Amino acid sequence: MTELSLAFALQTPADLPAIQKLEERAFGPGRFAKTAYRLREGVAPELSLSTIARIGGMLVGACTLTRIAIGGAPALLLGPLTVEEPFRARGVGEALAQRSLDAAKAAGHGLTLLVGDPPFYERLGFVRAGFGQFVFPGPVDPGRILFFELQPGARELRGLVTSG
Ligand SMILES: CC(C)(COP(=O)(O)OP(=O)(O)OC[C@H]1O[C@@H](n2cnc3c(N)ncnc32)[C@H](O)[C@@H]1OP(=O)(O)O)[C@@H](O)C(=O)NCCC(=O)NCCS
C-alpha cells in the first residue's frame, strides 16, 4: 500500500468549505460569539499567508491569517488554527502556524496578534501582550492575548484592534 504523506500548501478559495467544516467540528457554534471571530467576520482571509495541511488529498489542518488594524496601523490576526483530531500531536499545528508566520514576514508584515493558549503559542515565539496594549472590540481574556513581532519595532504597536 502507498504511504500517505503530509503536504502543506497555501489556502485557495476552493479549500474554504472544507476549512469551515473542520472549524465547525473543532469549535462548534460557540465560535461565532468570540471577539476574534467577529473581527474576521465579513473580511476575506489573507490566502497568500494562510496555510493548509493535507494527507493523501484530505484536509487535516488549517491556519488562517486575516488583516486587522491596531490603532489604525496594519497588522494580522492569526486564527483559527485547527488540526483534525486524529492528526494532532504530530507537529502539524506548529508547522502550519510557522509557515504562515514565515510567509507574513517575507511579505513585510509587522506584527501578528492572536487570542489563544499561551503554552502552545509561546513555543512558537509568541509573547504575551502588555496590559492594555491591545484593546479588543469585545470581551477577551487578557492573559490569552499574544503577539509575534515579524519586523523589529512592531511590538510598539498599541491601541484599538479593528477589522482590516
Ligand atoms: C491546538 C492545535 C491546533 C494544535 O495542533 P497539533 O497539530 O496537535 O499541534 P502540534 O503537534 O504542533 O503540537 C503539539 C504540542 O502542543 C501541545 N498543545 C496542543 N494544544 C495545546 C493547547 N491548547 N495548549 C497548550 N499546549 C497545547 C501538545 O500538548 C503538544 O505538546 P508536546 O509536543 O509537548 O507533546 C490542535 O490541538 C487543535 O486543532 N485543537 C483544537 C482547536 C484549537 O483549540 N485551536 C486553537 C488553539 S488556541
Side-chain angles (χ1 to χ4, degrees), residues 26-27 81-83 88-94 116-117 119-121 123:
F27 299 104
L81 170 64
T82 323
V83 174
R88 290 180 192 164
R90 300 167 190 219
V92 177
E94 196 171 316
D117 294 333
F120 179 76
Y121 289 104
R123 293 157 51 128

